[in-house]
Amino acid sequence: DPAVPVLGDCNSEGARAEVLALATALGAKVWGPMPLDRIHIRIAEGERAYPSAVHRRAEEHWWTEKEARPHIFDAPVWCLRSFTPPWGFTEDSGSEDGVEFELQQS
């Protein structure tokens, strides 16, 4: 789509400036890159509960995919329960409160 800008090296200062300009034009906020010590992850206890219809559909999907791609394997899945953005971050001050994610096994 010609209306969607294509960014090159996203690690460059020029690309960061392009992303910030685009986000501002769209009315969005952009945070990052963020140092790892500012990323906080909390783990919710227990397992995320879903209705039985979701479990049935997931099981059907699993076996369909397993048949099509026998090399895949089953493993725990983590869902994002909540996200707290770094509201204290400003481009001018450079201060960051960090970002927090709450995950739960499902």
Side-chain angles (χ1 to χ4, degrees):
D1 183 347
V4 176
V6 177
L7 300 175
D9 176 12
C10 289
N11 292 322
S12 71
E13 285 300 315
R16 180 167 167 70
E18 287 182 55
V19 169
L20 291 174
L22 177 61
T24 300
L26 296 173
K29 291 189 180 239
V30 175
W31 297 284
M34 188 169 286
L36 291 177
D37 65 344
R38 300 286 185 170
I39 299 172
H40 309 284
I41 297 176
R42 285 189 307 126
I43 304 298
E45 293 203 17
E47 233 181 82
R48 177 90 187 241
Y50 294 98
S52 60
V54 172
H55 285 286
R56 269 194 314 279
R57 183 64 187 110
E59 190 72 12
E60 291 169 10
H61 177 72
W62 166 252
W63 288 111
T64 301
E65 289 299 311
K66 183 73 172 164
E67 187 174 303
R69 298 182 296 157
H71 63 278
I72 64 174
F73 59 92
D74 197 6
V77 175
W78 293 89
C79 66
L80 177 63
R81 293 197 37 104
S82 67
F83 162 70
T84 306
W87 298 118
F89 177 78
T90 64
E91 286 297 322
D92 297 328
S93 71
S95 67
E96 297 174 316
D97 293 336
V99 61
E100 182 177 274
F101 299 99
E102 181 184 25
L103 304 177
Q104 186 174 28
Q105 195 167 350
S106 64

